[in-house]
Amino acid sequence: MDLLSLRCFQVVARHEHISRAAAELHVAQPSVSRTIARLEAELGVPLFDRRGRRIRLNQHGAAFLRRVDRALGELEDGRRELADAAGGEGGTVTVAAETLLTLAGLLAGFRAAHPGVEVRLYQATADAMADRLRTREVDFGLVSQPLAGPALTSVELLREDVLLAVPAGHRLAGKEGVDLAALDGEPFITPSPGHWQRILADRLFARAGVRPAIVCEGNEPGAILDLVGAGLGVALLPAMARDTGGRGTVAWARLAAPDCHRVLWLARHEDAYPTAASRRFGDFAVEHFAAACRSRT
């Protein structure tokens, strides 16, 4: 049982898919399969349930994964602590976000203030982000919904209204206090289930008994504004989206729903070793969004 085998198991357990794990590990699929088979033989129990080509982590695998995550996490923290001890103003911080547009302004300011720090980015769903935080693959996650899992902690960065984006000239353009019933049957653009906009929309519409006609759903939240501007439909978007584009093609309305807002959180694993670079980024992110909030009031 070596570190490479444990890392391989960890990635396979996250994906529950051999070929996707092989792609992330940059090794051949048969090599991954053999590694998992050897590990199971050494442990004396199967770690996955197999049904044809599909694999699912079983109870033995889930129990072992908790130990593997802890062991590899401690080793990664040790590596980071030693890198910190070497000194210098550099270092690396790794950040995941549901949409990278959220990071654009923040990163511009951070790179100017700390040019020696390397920043690495991932785009991930909330569930994938929680996994990457747990395995120390990322230092922070910028997320608009609570992350589930032990030892995950979050700091509120921003609380803002969610507005209804409509094509320019739409009957609801510029309206205040739009009743949700006005959206019944309206062509609606939304991310796939699991994204925060979709969770919010499903909750609001279910409560009002409204069924918009979903004409587009996908995993590119950053493209929604352009699709609204193209006249494909309407969408729920955070207020900050007004500053990212769509001028002349997109108009805005406000729904009559007091809880139509989103909270942006900066999430991290509270047991992970905080490197100097990650501390700088965390402090900068809090101040950046605090300043943005002050400028709007």
Side-chain angles (χ1 to χ4, degrees):
M1 190 184 304
D2 55 37
L3 293 179
L4 290 177
S5 297
L6 296 179
R7 173 62 179 153
C8 179
F9 164 71
Q10 189 182 55
V11 175
V12 173
R14 184 173 73 244
H15 289 290
E16 293 187 318
H17 198 284
I18 294 293
S19 60
R20 290 176 195 156
E24 179 174 330
L25 293 166
H26 303 291
V27 299
Q29 183 174 330
S31 176
V32 173
S33 297
R34 288 193 296 269
T35 297
I36 296 300
R38 285 196 301 269
L39 187 58
E40 289 178 318
E42 184 174 351
L43 293 170
V45 294
L47 301 171
F48 298 90
D49 292 330
R50 295 164 173 80
R51 294 182 181 177
R53 288 184 155 183
R54 301 180 61 184
I55 63 170
R56 290 290 181 269
L57 196 68
N58 61 28
Q59 62 178 352
H60 304 302
F64 188 57
L65 179 62
R66 288 192 292 271
R67 304 289 185 177
V68 169
D69 283 346
R70 189 182 306 170
L72 295 184
E74 285 293 320
L75 290 172
E76 175 61 18
D77 283 348
R79 183 194 65 78
R80 290 150 59 97
E81 188 171 1
L82 290 176
D84 257 7
E89 290 297 313
T92 301
V93 61
T94 308
V95 186
E98 295 160 303
T99 172
L100 299 181
L101 289 175
T102 308
L103 289 165
L106 169 61
L107 290 180
F110 180 75
R111 288 176 63 83
H114 302 284
V117 176
E118 179 185 357
V119 181
R120 297 176 183 169
L121 304 178
Y122 288 98
Q123 186 171 5
T125 63
D127 288 343
M129 202 181 299
D131 285 339
R132 289 187 182 275
L133 286 168
R134 175 174 50 80
T135 57
R136 314 296 206 272
E137 292 174 78
V138 300
D139 297 296
F140 295 104
L142 267 74
V143 62
S144 299
Q145 55 187 291
L147 292 184
L152 295 182
T153 184
S154 301
V155 174
E156 181 176 322
L157 294 177
L158 176 72
R159 184 178 294 261
E160 64 176 339
D161 291 338
V162 173
L163 305 176
L164 182 69
V166 301
H170 191 276
R171 62 187 174 84
L172 297 177
K175 299 289 186 181
E176 293 285 336
V178 174
D179 194 283
L180 285 163
L183 300 182
D184 202 21
E186 186 76 25
F188 191 72
I189 304 167
T190 176
S192 301
H195 288 271
W196 72 266
Q197 288 114 311
R198 181 60 174 272
I199 294 171
L200 174 63
D202 288 346
R203 186 180 77 241
L204 294 176
F205 294 147
R207 188 174 64 201
V210 170
R211 284 192 175 185
I214 295 177
V215 295
C216 177
E217 63 178 3
N219 294 314
E220 290 186 74
I224 292 177
L225 191 65
D226 291 335
L227 295 175
V228 172
L232 188 64
V234 305
L236 293 179
L237 289 171
M240 68 165 51
R242 289 179 296 187
D243 302 326
T244 62
R247 291 182 178 85
T249 62
V250 176
W252 302 88
R254 194 177 296 272
L255 294 177
D259 58 342
C260 193
H261 64 266
R262 71 109 171 218
V263 179
L264 183 65
W265 302 91
L266 183 69
R268 61 178 295 271
H269 196 293
E270 64 182 6
D271 294 334
Y273 174 76
T275 64
S278 69
R279 290 196 298 272
R280 293 188 192 105
F281 182 87
D283 292 343
F284 189 91
V286 170
E287 178 53 35
H288 170 84
F289 283 102
C293 290
R294 289 194 297 269
S295 68
R296 294 177 185 177
T297 58

